[in-house]
Amino acid sequence: MGLDIRLPIGLMFSIFGLLLVIYGAASDTSIYRHSLGINVNIWWGAALLVFGVVMLILGRRGTSAMRSATEGSEGKIIERIEHREGLEQERPRRGH
């Protein structure tokens, strides 16, 4: 599976943040007397929205940068060690 967990998490937080911002902007200001007049819905909605957007950006950037273990330098080193110690297992390759 190629799904990065940051994508659904980012989407969920972005949706909840957007809903809170909209609710905070559309709601009556008298309900914020108990919170010292601070519109907590707008502020927490903005925080959730920023976090969600960051997760979406990182998730998109991470999926485009993914590569197989044998393409990277670390993967090649591990392959050599496994081959030298006899730990290497033949796995069928996809697309070949």
Side-chain angles (χ1 to χ4, degrees), residues 18-35:
L18 189 62
L19 287 173
L20 270 177
V21 167
I22 291 170
Y23 178 76
S27 64
D28 185 23
T29 57
S30 65
I31 64 173
Y32 300 111
R33 277 182 286 146
H34 298 290
S35 62

Side-chain angles (χ1 to χ4, degrees), residues 65 67-81:
R67 56 185 178 179
S68 71
T70 57
E71 292 176 6
S73 59
E74 299 92 1
K76 291 177 182 177
I77 292 170
I78 291 172
E79 286 289 326
R80 276 189 297 218
I81 292 171

